[in-house]
Amino acid sequence: MSWATAALVLGLAIRTTRSTYKGFVNPLKHLNPEDGSIFWLNIKDSEPAQDLGLAIQDFLERREEYRDTLSTLSRDRVGTERCDPLLVDTQNIWPTVQRLANAGFELSGRYVNVGASDGENDDPLFEYVQRMNATGIAVERDPERCERHHRALPQVEVACSAVTPQNVLSLVAPVLLDKTELDVLKVDIDSYDCPVIEMLLPVITAKIVLLEANPSIPPPYQWAMLHHPELWNFFNSFSPPEDVPIRGCSLAYEVELLRRYGYDLVAFGGHDAIFTHESVRSAWAPHKPPMDEFDCYNEAFIAANGISIDKTRRWFFELNDTQVGLPEVWEFFVGWMQENSPQLFPFALRA
């Protein structure tokens, strides 16, 4: 079915307001430009066919407007290299580790994994740890998952504790004491991720950093949840937790934060961003990191929670003035917390 036929059939269908989403931010990624056919995703939380057809029609009609918006917003981007979505697997760090090794960079077999779960299921570090028999520190708050981690990766020390910006350095102290450069530093705690990694970056150097990103907040908006002692408890008790938008930090926030410590964005997808240290740039030849964060976002397949894709597309493609976008983003998060949480949790927002 062509987009024109789809639009005719769909008529005045109402756009989705669902707050969980898996698919491309740019709906034209679903369109075959040669024959006009649409690639539909038959997965949980994918965009309904009706809504996708209307979104494609809208983007085709307003293509120049949206292109001009991105051109305006991206003038202060950090990276300039085009983003290749197939270059890096954000769900498995092992191919990236191999790439660095093949380029001649020495690996230490040491890592830190904050928010490790059981170390095996859905953990991007598992194959790397298993293949290299890597050692380091895994931080996980759930005792049952800690025990499963011990069984799956017995050579890895597990700090079974809730993590905060105040205690994270003590939890990873054994790695700090041996002063070894890490292969990988990962933070994925579904809440105040950036305040935690901000404590680690001044004292840890790693070749690769993997950080969970909130994929619903596009560049150039630098947004991050800040630490609050009740944030995790609220997140964990909310039903369904998949609908909670107050988690993590945005891609633009991470790019600005990590570049201060010499890290380049190399990939973004799903709900994760991967950075590598500027000292290993030659491993990416002929690519020249850092990658353009706007291009990476435009190319990405994302897995979003708590914010509808319509709102994300408006912030990224329609609003060419951050002085309009910033109040909208702020009002969304404050409004959501006023309606759904017992209090206003702190967050940072700038552009």
Side-chain angles (χ1 to χ4, degrees):
M1 179 184 294
S2 71
W3 72 266
T5 303
L8 180 63
V9 171
L10 300 176
L12 298 177
I14 298 174
R15 298 287 294 278
T16 182
T17 58
R18 293 191 313 170
S19 59
T20 57
Y21 172 74
K22 292 180 181 177
F24 293 98
V25 178
N26 186 341
L28 297 186
K29 300 293 293 182
H30 292 272
L31 179 68
N32 184 333
E34 295 181 359
D35 60 13
S37 61
I38 296 175
F39 173 66
W40 312 100
L41 292 174
N42 185 25
I43 58 175
K44 184 178 183 293
D45 295 326
S46 64
E47 194 165 10
Q50 292 183 340
D51 298 332
L52 181 57
L54 291 176
I56 290 173
Q57 179 185 15
D58 173 68
F59 269 63
L60 288 172
E61 292 173 351
R62 303 173 67 182
R63 188 195 301 261
E64 294 301 321
E65 174 190 341
Y66 292 161
R67 184 180 295 126
D68 290 344
T69 297
L70 287 186
S71 178
T72 299
L73 293 178
S74 64
R75 286 173 182 167
D76 296 325
R77 66 188 183 274
V78 173
T80 58
E81 182 78 354
R82 290 295 304 272
C83 209
D84 180 355
L86 301 179
L87 183 64
V88 177
D89 184 355
T90 59
Q91 305 308 303
N92 183 3
I93 208 69
W94 174 241
T96 300
V97 172
Q98 285 183 299
R99 187 183 189 105
L100 301 189
N102 292 339
F105 292 101
E106 184 177 354
L107 302 174
S108 65
R110 297 280 281 164
Y111 74 101
V112 165
N113 187 353
V114 180
S117 189
D118 64 5
E120 183 174 9
N121 294 302
D122 297 323
D123 193 315
L125 273 61
F126 178 67
E127 186 174 5
Y128 152 73
V129 178
Q130 191 177 50
R131 285 179 176 269
M132 291 199 64
N133 197 31
T135 60
I137 303 292
V139 181
E140 171 55 45
R141 66 185 300 147
D142 182 83
E144 182 179 338
R145 292 175 179 173
C146 292
E147 182 57 36
R148 296 207 305 267
H149 197 295
H150 278 299
R151 293 197 297 268
L153 301 169
Q155 79 278 17
V156 178
E157 183 174 346
V158 179
C160 197
S161 171
V163 63
T164 69
Q166 291 74 32
N167 73 359
V168 66
L169 294 182
S170 64
L171 294 176
V172 302
V175 168
L176 301 180
L177 291 175
D178 68 19
K179 300 185 184 304
T180 302
E181 182 178 81
L182 301 180
D183 295 336
V184 187
L185 168 62
K186 174 196 153 201
V187 175
D188 181 352
I189 58 174
D190 287 323
S191 52
Y192 39 82
D193 300 58
C194 278
V196 167
I197 202 167
E198 283 187 69
M199 298 300 296
L200 296 171
L201 290 173
V203 295
I204 287 179
T205 301
K207 290 182 173 64
I208 303 167
V209 173
L210 190 151
L211 185 57
E212 184 178 48
N214 188 323
S216 294
I217 305 142
Y221 300 104
Q222 298 178 43
W223 175 93
M225 288 305 295
L226 304 179
H227 174 250
H228 188 283
E230 293 301 317
L231 180 59
W232 172 257
N233 291 332
F234 165 72
F235 176 86
N236 202 42
S237 63
F238 192 88
S239 182
E242 292 80 13
D243 285 345
V244 177
I246 52 171
R247 61 173 82 204
C249 33
S250 69
L251 178 63
Y253 190 102
E254 295 175 0
V255 168
E256 285 290 340
L257 170 62
L258 271 79
R259 77 165 176 167
R260 299 204 300 266
Y261 296 93
Y263 292 95
D264 300 325
L265 175 69
V266 294
F268 167 70
H271 46 72
D272 296 298
I274 294 181
F275 299 80
T276 55
H277 197 265
E278 60 189 8
S279 62
V280 301
R281 281 178 179 170
S282 61
W284 297 105
H287 301 280
K288 298 179 180 178
M291 307 307 184
D292 180 340
E293 63 270 27
F294 285 82
D295 189 55
C296 288
Y297 195 86
N298 188 53
E299 293 289 328
F301 180 95
I302 67 170
N305 301 90
I307 302 177
S308 72
I309 186 58
D310 290 346
K311 192 172 294 294
T312 296
R313 285 173 179 155
R314 172 171 167 78
W315 293 341
F316 192 49
F317 293 107
E318 293 187 31
L319 299 183
N320 63 7
D321 185 351
T322 57
Q323 297 308 305
V324 177
L326 282 169
E328 279 202 18
V329 176
W330 185 89
E331 288 169 4
F332 169 81
F333 283 103
V334 171
W336 190 92
M337 285 187 278
Q338 287 175 332
E339 184 176 343
N340 295 282
S341 69
Q343 63 192 76
L344 295 181
F345 294 105
F347 63 88
L349 175 63
R350 58 182 179 264

